Amino acid sequence: MEYLSTDKILVIDLATSKIEETALDESLVSEKIGGAGITKHLYEKHLNDDPIVIGTGLLTGTTCPASASGLITAKSPVTGKMCHCPVIYKVGIEIKFSGYDYIVVKGVSDKPVYLWIHDGVADISDASGIWGKDVWESTDSLRKFMGDDLLQTMMIGKAGENRSDYAQICYNYWSSPDRFGLGKLFGSKKLKALAFRGMGLIEVADHENFVRRSLEILKEIKTNDFMTKKGIAEIASAMGEAGVEEWLEPIVHRHSADYFTPYATNTAVFLDEDPKRVEESKVAEPGVLISDVLALLAFKKLGLSAEDAGRALKACAKYGIDPAAVAELSGKSSLKEIVDSFDGLSGTVTLKGKGSFSPWCPLKPIFNDFGLSGDAAEAEAWWERRQAVAMIFGIQPIFSVMCPELSEENMLELAAIGTELDLTQEILDRVVADLLK
Amino acid sequence: MNLYQSNADINIKLPQGKAGYISKGNTDIRISGVPDPECRRMRYPRIGIYAGSGTSHSWLWFVDMFERMGFHAVSVLDAPAVRSGRLQQMDVLAVSGGDTVAIAEALGEDGARQLAAFITGGGVYLGACAGAYLVMNSSKPHLCHFNFAAVKITNLSKRLPTCQSMPHKFSIAYGCEHIFHPVREAVGLRLTGVPPFSGEPALLVPLYGGPGMLAPPEAQVLARYDHFTDKTVFLVDKDLAEETLISTAAALRVPMGNGQMYLFGPHFEHPHYHRANRLVADAVYWDSRRNPDECSPVARDALQLPTSESANLIHSLRRELSNSRIVAAGLEMFPVWWLIGAKAYEPEKIRVFLDAMWRRLKPLEKRGRIWARAGVPDLLMADACETTSLLRQLKNELDQGSVTDPTARTLFHLLHRNTMRFFELYFQTISNNLTP
């Protein structure tokens, strides 16, 4: 596969330390397009080895607006079914830049390891130095060892190592869309982390036309009223949650967007530093980056102050545990009790949706109505399809429920320009149907 | 059309014994398979590039230029190699930028004698910037052994003029005097039409500290500084820059025995200046006359590695170069530079060396089996691993605000050495594949 691709699939067997590379066949892209379409195919191909399949969308890391997302496809310890977990921030794009479109991790290692994926090279490295450390310490340790502050990681903390059902794979230092307990799966394989970095470039078939159309779509997107807004509290407000902006505002330091995403879906709050500080903080750990609006709201509903909610989210991120599960199952309303509940957390979490896509992304349109009538079943079907399409092309999932201009037609058009493949609505419908069945 | 293509095409044919001619005429068609009355027959030259002590990264520009043009019989030489006589196996020696005095010191009297013997024996000397200063008459220590050309330097002064910008790039001590650099970046030249620099009335070239020159009677002026451009950065007052450079010689052809010295103030070999590159190639074709019976040099002491060993070496090199490049890219965010010898090195220079190797891994992979002298692959890998280690140490020191100069000096020394080693292996692999 020559375009929008590194042309490489990596298969790592942790049991044997065998590393194999295969080419990504153009025929597979013509049939499955990319992203979840292909990770599902690879998952089924390696099913007997309980695989974790990490992948990127066909448009991930391009000039297509919001093409920030990668994904992890694996069997969820929470649902017992195959799921697709978005990979956000700058981690999703780094998978592709590090030299691989898809990475299959199978087997179980006999000792703690991490995978160092860089410039088309894959190394299985000893993780004994970071096993037992929390997510933040481990991320710092890897970045320091590699000498690179921009290293992008998928990391488990103690929850994953201890195989908690609610263990979350964290991205860099932060909580992730993992509602599926995939951290437990990492832990059961003795896989502490994946670290990605690369300086690869992606070839585009008709690059001038691709950039031109991308900018045209971006221009259309910028006509939305939501372009004057930013941050997670605005998302909460758009979901109908009152008072979140006022509650959170005193500790907001900044908002940040995922790669090339026109809306800043993440909000950094300062907990141990003046939030109004402009210069770089002198405090080692001044706060936390929040991307999980539902977890934030859940802590608010437990009666926590914004600062304590921030501290709870920070503690979850360090421990590598799903904050939404913690909020739902702990039943506690003080920060200390919540943090103390991590070890013995048990119960059944409520996962909205059909379990294939992460309900970390709000299950309703944000800022726009997408022409929906208000019928719940219609909204759920719309959300499932919207997530499936986002996971096929590599679109930031929350932005995909904000922005009608990022239509299936536009994504297909960009994919066709970028690859010179005849990717039609019919093919997309077939791939989506396969993902939703 | 790719300006390098005609050179690359002819350089495939020359080692096979096919005839090619370079015309003296003032025409765009300077290279052909058909002789004309004033043409010279071209030979496929063996080229040495000096990359030893005293050089900066700019010897890699000669590597890029020659490779693009299909000159693959290239050897990268350090000072001991020059002193030991390897130069006598070459047709061309290219010396690019760096610290002139340090180069002269490294080569020493023995190196100067070897260089003189090489040129007088019919060799072509290409000296750009420091490489040009090196062979100009001087009474200064070390340089005094290289009094091959009675060229006067116009940017030499007992008293330094006022520096207007880039003080760390402005001047270098030259005995009790100073070489100062009036401008940097692109300048405009007017060509004189003297062969082999025919067919180009004017061109732009980059100047990074090279001289303005006053030619001795025996020399031919090939190009003069004509004007500054909107890209030119002035390090002194503009009037002084004009007075120092404009109308002085920017490129000279100076005879010495049976050989010729081409002295370039600007970097004609810079990879972004394709038209200037082509003139350097013309100079090589025009004056390469040594050892006319030998046209296809082979690294006879190299051995061909087995296929699996070759693949493993490339994979291991890719791993270490990737590790190094990732750290090096991060270092470029630091506002730091190091004075090594008389030259300022910024973090960006690290990746110049690493990328020069990195982008040749795929071409090397396509060649299949690698040619290398015994032990070279192991040394190459050991230094590549040490480079990553030093880069990580440097990053750590910068994070902690520690002194980084000793680490940086060791690092650049290592980068030089390993890049030279890599290109020895690289050109051995390519040139051996040229041999029938």
Side-chain angles (χ1 to χ4, degrees):
Chain A
M1 177 65 190
E2 191 175 357
Y3 299 116
L4 300 185
S5 165
T6 64
D7 192 33
K8 284 205 285 192
I9 299 171
L10 180 69
V11 181
I12 297 176
D13 188 336
L14 294 176
T16 61
S17 297
K18 193 173 172 189
I19 297 173
E20 287 181 309
E21 283 179 8
T22 55
L24 175 63
D25 280 343
E26 197 171 283
S27 60
L28 185 61
V29 178
S30 294
E31 187 189 343
K32 306 281 185 187
I33 301 179
I38 293 178
T39 55
K40 180 172 184 278
H41 166 82
L42 292 169
Y43 174 83
E44 288 165 349
K45 185 177 172 183
H46 296 277
L47 190 58
N48 293 337
D49 293 304
D50 195 16
I52 299 167
V53 184
I54 294 157
T56 56
L58 187 57
L59 296 173
T60 300
T62 67
T63 54
C64 171
S67 58
S69 189
L71 74 157
I72 304 172
T73 297
K75 181 179 172 183
S76 163
V78 172
T79 65
K81 297 191 298 185
M82 183 185 68
C83 64
H84 307 285
C85 175
V87 180
I88 56 168
Y89 307 125
K90 310 288 190 291
V91 185
I93 60 164
E94 202 68 33
I95 298 168
K96 200 177 264 190
F97 295 154
S98 71
Y100 298 98
D101 287 0
Y102 301 96
I103 301 166
V104 180
V105 182
K106 59 185 192 178
V108 176
S109 174
D110 58 4
K111 61 182 183 192
V113 294
Y114 70 91
L115 304 179
W116 170 216
I117 314 290
H118 55 117
D119 288 320
V121 178
D123 296 327
I124 303 174
S125 302
D126 177 15
S128 57
I130 52 174
W131 193 263
K133 289 185 176 174
D134 72 31
V135 169
W136 289 27
E137 289 168 326
S138 302
T139 302
D140 278 342
S141 181
L142 281 191
R143 286 185 170 185
K144 187 172 182 188
F145 175 72
M146 301 294 184
D148 179 27
D149 298 335
L150 298 177
L151 192 80
Q152 301 293 300
T153 60
M154 296 175 178
M155 182 76 69
I156 61 166
K158 289 179 183 169
E161 293 176 12
N162 296 338
R163 303 184 196 182
S164 160
D165 286 344
Y166 315 102
Q168 187 173 73
I169 301 168
C170 294
Y171 301 149
N172 299 330
Y173 300 97
W174 318 120
S175 291
S176 78
D178 178 10
R179 290 274 195 271
F180 301 114
L182 296 179
K184 181 182 183 181
L185 191 55
F186 268 43
S188 67
K189 289 178 178 290
K190 288 207 170 55
L191 177 62
K192 176 72 175 175
L194 283 94
F196 301 95
R197 196 74 169 100
M199 286 182 260
L201 298 172
I202 301 165
E203 294 288 330
V204 181
D206 181 352
H207 56 90
E208 284 184 14
N209 206 17
F210 189 91
V211 171
R212 182 186 58 76
R213 270 304 288 146
S214 297
L215 294 176
E216 283 172 3
I217 295 167
L218 183 62
K219 196 173 173 184
E220 289 171 36
I221 290 170
K222 285 186 172 177
T223 61
N224 276 285
D225 290 341
F226 70 67
M227 290 303 297
T228 60
K229 305 175 191 292
K230 56 178 73 168
I232 204 159
E234 295 273 15
I235 296 173
S237 297
M239 291 165 63
E241 301 289 341
V244 180
E245 287 174 66
E246 297 77 11
W247 176 70
L248 195 63
E249 199 280 330
I251 59 169
V252 169
H253 177 253
R254 66 186 186 279
H255 307 288
S256 79
D258 292 353
Y259 166 80
F260 210 54
T261 301
Y263 183 89
T265 54
N266 315 308
T267 292
V269 296
F270 269 10
L271 308 168
D272 297 302
E273 174 67 281
D274 176 9
K276 304 304 170 203
R277 185 182 174 92
V278 176
E279 311 91 68
E280 191 171 347
S281 173
K282 290 179 179 167
V283 177
E285 296 176 358
V288 67
L289 185 70
I290 307 171
S291 68
D292 192 335
V293 65
L294 292 162
L296 181 71
L297 289 172
F299 284 130
K300 181 173 184 290
K301 285 170 186 168
L302 287 176
L304 268 63
S305 67
E307 185 184 325
D308 278 354
R311 291 192 188 283
L313 287 165
K314 180 176 169 179
C316 288
K318 286 185 154 192
Y319 197 79
I321 196 163
D322 176 6
V326 168
E328 182 179 351
L329 298 178
S330 73
K332 309 294 183 186
S333 54
S334 82
L335 175 62
K336 185 175 184 311
E337 288 174 320
I338 287 170
V339 173
D340 287 347
S341 76
F342 289 173
D343 272 337
L345 201 65
S346 63
T348 304
V349 289
T350 313
L351 275 189
K352 290 184 178 172
K354 291 180 176 173
S356 288
F357 302 104
S358 175
W360 161 88
C361 175
L363 279 84
K364 56 171 75 172
I366 307 290
F367 300 133
N368 282 293
D369 63 14
F370 284 80
L372 299 178
S373 65
D375 176 72
E378 181 197 19
E380 185 176 314
W382 167 84
W383 182 85
E384 295 282 351
R385 183 176 179 96
R386 199 74 185 146
Q387 292 301 296
V389 171
M391 290 297 94
I392 289 167
F393 289 103
I395 304 302
Q396 211 279 0
I398 295 179
F399 194 74
S400 79
V401 298
M402 288 182 186
C403 184
E405 291 77 12
L406 218 43
S407 63
E408 291 179 16
E409 185 186 8
N410 280 339
M411 286 183 258
L412 275 169
E413 184 190 0
L414 280 178
I417 294 169
T419 59
E420 286 182 339
L421 296 177
D422 186 20
L423 299 171
T424 62
Q425 185 66 47
E426 189 184 350
I427 297 170
L428 179 61
D429 289 344
R430 199 167 54 233
V431 176
V432 170
D434 184 45
L435 290 173
L436 296 181
K437 73 184 178 190
Chain B
M1 177 185 168
N2 182 347
L3 283 173
Y4 299 120
Q5 198 54 51
S6 58
N7 295 89
D9 288 346
I10 197 78
N11 280 334
I12 290 172
K13 294 173 185 164
L14 291 177
Q16 297 166 351
K18 294 185 180 164
Y21 301 91
I22 178 163
S23 169
K24 178 183 178 180
N26 190 13
T27 163
D28 276 346
I29 307 167
R30 290 176 293 182
I31 294 171
S32 77
V34 184
D36 70 39
E38 294 186 298
C39 70
R40 289 185 179 183
R41 182 163 178 172
M42 300 193 296
R43 304 191 186 283
Y44 188 67
R46 294 170 301 184
I47 296 171
I49 298 174
Y50 178 70
S53 294
T55 53
S56 67
H57 62 293
S58 57
W59 62 271
L60 290 164
W61 298 345
F62 270 124
V63 169
D64 283 347
M65 186 198 77
F66 286 131
E67 189 187 12
R68 285 181 192 177
M69 293 177 164
F71 293 102
H72 291 147
V74 173
S75 299
V76 182
L77 306 174
D78 60 7
V82 172
R83 288 197 303 266
S84 69
R86 272 192 69 193
L87 203 47
Q88 308 316 321
Q89 299 164 16
M90 307 291 152
D91 303 295
V92 176
L93 175 69
V95 183
S96 187
D99 178 346
T100 314
V101 178
I103 295 171
E105 185 177 4
L107 292 173
E109 270 191 84
D110 288 346
R113 268 195 294 275
Q114 289 288 346
L115 185 53
F118 163 75
I119 301 169
T120 53
V124 177
Y125 177 84
L126 305 172
C129 196
Y133 287 117
L134 178 69
V135 294
M136 294 177 189
N137 288 359
S138 172
S139 58
K140 309 296 185 259
H142 309 299
L143 292 172
C144 59
H145 306 307
F146 296 84
N147 287 342
F148 303 161
V151 176
K152 300 274 188 223
I153 303 167
T154 63
N155 51 316
L156 180 67
S157 174
K158 281 192 169 31
R159 287 183 57 203
L160 273 179
T162 305
C163 173
Q164 292 194 335
S165 66
M166 304 180 78
H168 58 299
K169 301 275 187 184
F170 176 55
S171 70
I172 290 179
Y174 190 81
C176 55
E177 296 178 274
H178 303 275
I179 301 271
F180 68 97
H181 308 142
V183 301
R184 288 175 66 84
E185 304 295 343
V187 295
L189 304 188
R190 174 79 40 198
L191 274 68
T192 59
V194 172
F197 280 23
S198 313
E200 293 272 8
L203 79 163
L204 297 181
V205 281
L207 185 63
Y208 296 119
M213 299 179 283
L214 299 177
E218 69 276 17
Q220 292 175 308
V221 178
L222 303 173
R224 295 184 188 281
Y225 294 100
D226 184 65
H227 61 276
F228 300 124
T229 71
D230 55 1
K231 298 274 183 354
T232 306
V233 178
F234 290 89
L235 276 59
V236 298
D237 172 72
K238 190 174 179 184
D239 289 343
L240 177 60
E242 283 184 355
E243 187 184 312
T244 308
L245 287 179
I246 300 302
S247 298
T248 69
L252 293 176
R253 179 171 178 260
V254 188
M256 182 174 171
N258 291 324
Q260 295 289 344
M261 292 181 286
Y262 284 85
L263 308 185
F264 304 110
H267 285 278
F268 278 59
E269 79 282 16
H270 191 287
H272 295 169
Y273 292 81
H274 301 187
R275 291 168 63 207
N277 288 180
R278 195 165 67 162
L279 294 176
V280 180
D282 287 354
V284 168
Y285 288 135
W286 190 252
D287 279 317
S288 287
R289 279 174 289 173
R290 294 180 91 239
N291 305 317
D293 296 332
E294 290 187 42
C295 62
S296 181
V298 178
R300 296 185 198 286
D301 55 349
L303 302 169
Q304 196 173 20
L305 303 185
T307 306
S308 62
E309 223 173 288
S310 298
N312 286 342
L313 175 62
I314 290 170
H315 187 71
S316 300
L317 265 177
R318 179 169 286 128
R319 169 182 290 113
E320 272 323 310
L321 285 173
S322 164
N323 283 331
S324 290
R325 290 170 80 228
I326 286 165
V327 190
L331 293 179
E332 290 167 17
M333 307 297 284
F334 287 87
V336 64
W337 57 274
W338 305 278
L339 189 66
I340 300 175
K343 302 291 283 187
Y345 284 75
E346 304 86 357
E348 288 81 357
K349 298 255 168 70
I350 298 168
R351 271 212 290 165
V352 174
F353 290 95
L354 297 172
D355 286 351
M357 294 185 272
W358 176 260
R359 64 174 178 268
R360 285 170 174 91
L361 290 178
K362 270 193 181 165
L364 205 52
E365 203 166 23
K366 282 183 185 164
R367 300 274 169 177
R369 294 176 64 181
I370 286 174
W371 288 78
R373 280 188 298 128
V376 165
D378 289 342
L379 291 171
L380 193 60
M381 277 314 304
D383 272 2
C385 293
E386 178 64 14
T387 300
T388 302
S389 176
L390 272 175
L391 278 161
R392 288 173 178 169
Q393 181 185 327
L394 190 60
K395 165 74 167 49
N396 200 25
E397 288 171 357
L398 284 166
D399 280 341
Q400 292 176 355
S402 310
V403 174
T404 54
D405 298 64
T407 309
R409 266 195 295 276
T410 310
L411 172 69
F412 276 103
H413 173 72
L414 197 62
L415 282 169
H416 260 94
R417 186 171 74 190
N418 219 31
T419 311
M420 288 177 67
R421 206 172 266 149
F422 175 86
F423 278 107
E424 177 192 315
L425 174 147
Y426 180 76
F427 283 117
Q428 278 175 344
T429 301
I430 291 180
S431 61
N432 273 296
N433 286 350
L434 291 174
T435 310

